[in-house]
Amino acid sequence: MTDDMNNEYDVVVVGGGAAGLSGGLMLGRSRRSVLVIDSGAPRNAPAAGVHGYLTREGTPPAELLEIGRDEVRRYGVDLVDAEVVSVSGAVDAGFVVAVADGRTVKARRLLLTTGLIDELPDIPGLRERWGKDLLHCPYCHGWEVRDQAIGVLARNAWAVHQAQMFRQLSEDVTLFLNDALTLSDEDAVSLAARGIRVVEGAVAAVESSGDKLTGVRLADGTFVEREAVTVMPRFVARAGFLADLGLESQEHPMGVGEHIPADENGVTTVPGVWVAGNITNLMAQVSGAAAAGALAGAQINADLIAEEIRSAVAATAAATV
Ligand SMILES: Cc1cc2nc3c(=O)[nH]c(=O)nc-3n(C[C@H](O)[C@H](O)[C@H](O)COP(=O)(O)OP(=O)(O)OC[C@H]3O[C@@H](n4cnc5c(N)ncnc54)[C@H](O)[C@@H]3O)c2cc1C
């Protein structure tokens, strides 16, 4: 997707997933000069289709992004394949964005939409099935495993909630406590009342045969057949390149990982820098990320207009002295 890259833009968007492209669309349509830099690793890449996105139900993730890229190009937005390694500067003097091959580009404003990393527990056989039959989100792929034998692998108390969510999709749900969780009496009662089986003991492996998950092996050797397994990742914002900017990831209030805090418009603590999508909202699905990107794009345009009004007023005043 690499286009030529100019030296300077009104806005550089770092990350070209749903959030970044959506921000680019709003800004491009506002006749802003915009560069979207993307390293080509969207979070949902292992999934066969994007679900829960009205009008695009089941579209392969790569196809959805290709449609988005075509749309933003129509408005003159430049799209470059590259990894951003650092961002420095400030709103008054402008920001400098550096990519891995050594090139740099200047920007008046930044929109950061680099998403997050799903950190999975270190259990043999688990990562290989990620996004196929090793799942985390009932809204993303729950329907696809409806009525199947589902295992829920506990890491913390979220597993109880996850088990109850997947129970909505199948009557055959087993919660593996994996030495990570002690159930309260209330949880034990509510799980039993909905027919969710609880298995104690450490999990040694998730096993597969061919391209299909077959079950969960416990440390004591017991094998429990399952067709799909769910686990809660730790969600960690991809924000390592932001150190020079003074933007740091913080623990999310829900205890599910680390994010870049921002207000509801994507405004961060650093003037001139916005965030949207999973980098700030760890729970956002594709539609939520796209909506947040669009909102941030509009806010950035408004902020640039305000700056341009101030300059125009000052220039007019200077000319009339
Ligand atoms: C397995 C799986 C399946 C999912 N299925 C669904 C589903 O069916 N429906 C749904 O709504 N949601 C689904 N999701 C959630 C979905 O992936 C996110 O909601 C969505 O990807 C968030 O969009 P984003 O733009 O914030 O981040 P991303 O889509 O992750 O995009 C971020 C982009 O930034 C780029 N990037 C990162 N760092 C840099 C850098 N330093 N320099 C340049 N570029 C960088 C990445 O390469 C990536 O392309 C799924 C998630 C997973 C893990």
Side-chain angles (χ1 to χ4, degrees), residues 275-319:
V275 286
N278 279 163
I279 188 174
T280 181
N281 180 354
L282 302 178
M283 313 306 264
Q285 290 191 271
V286 173
S287 55
L295 181 61
Q299 297 287 323
I300 293 171
N301 183 48
D303 191 55
L304 287 168
I305 290 171
E307 181 181 284
E308 286 149 9
I309 292 170
R310 287 193 297 275
S311 299
V313 169
T316 307

Side-chain angles (χ1 to χ4, degrees), residues 13-21 37-53 61 65 69 80 82-86 99 113-116 118 130-132 134-137 139-141 144 233 235 238-239 241 276-290:
V13 181
V14 186
L21 289 173
I37 305 176
D38 186 67
S39 61
R43 184 183 167 212
N44 56 352
V50 175
H51 295 286
Y53 195 162
L65 292 181
R69 288 195 279 263
V80 165
E83 184 184 354
V84 170
V85 289
S86 73
V99 298
T113 59
T114 47
L116 63 80
D118 293 281
W130 177 238
K132 300 182 178 89
L134 194 291
L135 317 163
H136 76 294
C137 165
Y139 299 108
C140 300
H141 12 232
E144 283 60 44
F235 306 124
R238 288 195 267 210
F241 62 100
N278 279 163
I279 188 174
T280 181
N281 180 354
L282 302 178
M283 313 306 264
Q285 290 191 271
V286 173
S287 55

